[in-house]
Amino acid sequence: MKSKRNRRCFWLSLFFFLWVIPAAVQAATLEVRGGGSAESIQSALARAAPGDTINVYSGTYVGNIVIDKAISLIGIGTPILDGGGEGDVVSLKADGVNFKGFQVVGSGKRLQDSDAGIKIHSAFNVIEDNKLSNNLFGIYLLKSPHNTIRNNTIVGRPAKNKLKDSEKEMSEAGTYELLPLFEGESGDGIHLFAASNNLIENNEITDTRDGIYFNYAHDNRLLYNRINGVRYAIHYMYSDDNYFEGNIATNNVAGAAPMYSKRITFRQNVFAYNRGHRSFGVLFSSCNDCLAEGNIIFGNTRGALFDVSYHNTFRNNMVASNDIGIDLISSSGFNTFVKNNFVDNMEQIAFRAGKIGEGNVFYDEGEGNYWNDYRGFDLDQDGIGDTPYLTGDIFTYLMNKAPTVRLFLNSPAAKALEFAENMFPVIEIPKAEDVYPLIKPVGIEMNTQFQLEKNQVSNKVLGAYSLLMLLMAGIIAARAFRISSQGVKLVEDFLRGGRK
């Protein structure tokens, strides 16, 4: 009897300690108000226990903050954390931190220290709904896996040479002197170093060096971010098995630049209006075994460039209104381009080295691509052109040799030259062959957050405009020559004693 009673007491005691006491010791909520020094926040962090919540109310808090406990630091009314131009504004050194609702400004500017608005040294943290500006790096993940970076707005320090005079005058006192002299002195919006298995979604990034930079960072997911006005919007270096989807990269030097990486998959992204002498929608450099599917590549200087890249699959993409659709350097091989729409590019495919590259094909399993300049027929109505589509012509070949020839693009002279070369080929021009050209465009889902700019004109219209301007110049020159000839005749008559 005694033993039964003892066992009953034991189980009741165990239940009491496991359920009743933890329920009594609930997570606490601390509050910080009034602004001033960041020491008030640091003091609350010292008092807090893991699992507690600290609510920080609106105001400006100057100084650096180190979070070394698994707590939730929540901004109420978007309080400002100002690092005062020194070091990292916020450092996360504990796992399981929730950091939300702050404006983070004023990190240091030492590139060698990678000064950042938020620097993460730990795992399983959530960074969301923050605004970061005037920091060297926005968010820096240092050997920190399994974090979520969500719904943040990051504005970098624009280089001085990018600012107009009016913007310099409008800037706050002393701010202009803190700006980098050129783009290379600034940091990235989000930088991952040896940081894997992170989720980065719905962030907006402008005016940084690179938008999101992956360095030895594997197995990350990048979803629905918007990046504008940077060097490379999405940049991979030595980073394998990454996935990105639904991102919009516009008005950058390059939309995406996977380099020295393998097995990167990107779907339904938009790379548009990335223009300049060395600008690309997507730049593949020493990048292998990747899949690009369902992307919109629109209005870039070069839609996609492949350099020393092998065994990549490029399918179901819209490549439209670029100066060059695909720039395929012969150092790249065994890439497959299939079921893409090539529409209204000045040059659909370019082979600048004069060779196609071993193993590159423009069809697979009886299907090719849609080319809006295909002139063949489909007499058997199977959706496949009866004759192959051949990329490359004498005019684009000459444009690569002498860029000024582009003035005659889409002109009757260019068409006549193309016809003559087809009838009497005398120059060996590298051409890619699509054996199964599609008669109708492939259905590709458009990203609803991307809208075409209304002031965009097609390359054909641009070519016709160039021809019109050339004709007008010819008319003006001819008229000037005729007037000049009449003047010479009048002078000659005068010297002979006047007209008869």
Side-chain angles (χ1 to χ4, degrees), residues 323 346 407 409-410 457-467:
D323 292 3
M346 287 187 180
L407 178 65
L409 185 69
N410 292 320
V457 296
S458 72
N459 289 325
K460 288 185 177 180
V461 173
L462 187 60
Y465 176 77
S466 298
L467 178 61

Side-chain angles (χ1 to χ4, degrees), residues 339 365-369 374 376-388 435-441:
K339 297 182 70 175
E365 297 182 353
E367 290 186 300
N369 303 273
Y374 177 62
F377 298 96
D378 180 22
L379 298 179
D380 57 4
Q381 298 293 304
D382 65 349
I384 306 295
D386 297 329
T387 57
V435 180
Y436 308 102
L438 303 177
I439 296 301
K440 295 182 180 180

Side-chain angles (χ1 to χ4, degrees), residues 224 268-270 294-296 316 318 442-448:
Y224 307 105
Q268 298 178 352
N269 304 279
V270 175
N295 302 283
I296 306 297
N316 286 91
M318 170 67 76
V442 178
I444 296 174
E445 186 177 347
M446 177 69 82
N447 190 314
T448 57

Side-chain angles (χ1 to χ4, degrees), residues 371-378 387-389 415 418 439 460:
W371 314 85
N372 76 314
D373 57 346
Y374 177 62
R375 297 294 176 260
F377 298 96
D378 180 22
T387 57
Y389 174 85
K415 298 302 179 185
E418 181 181 349
I439 296 301
K460 288 185 177 180

Side-chain angles (χ1 to χ4, degrees), residues 5 9-10 32 60 76 107 141-142 162 167 171-172 185 201-202 206 256 313 329 336 339 373 376 446 455 468:
R5 190 176 299 164
C9 290
F10 170 78
V32 179
T60 299
I76 309 297
S107 78
L141 290 83
L142 180 60
K162 292 176 68 175
E167 290 174 324
S171 63
E172 297 179 5
E185 286 187 336
E201 63 177 345
N202 288 315
T206 56
T313 300
I329 297 177
T336 300
K339 297 182 70 175
D373 57 346
M446 177 69 82
N455 62 346
L468 178 63

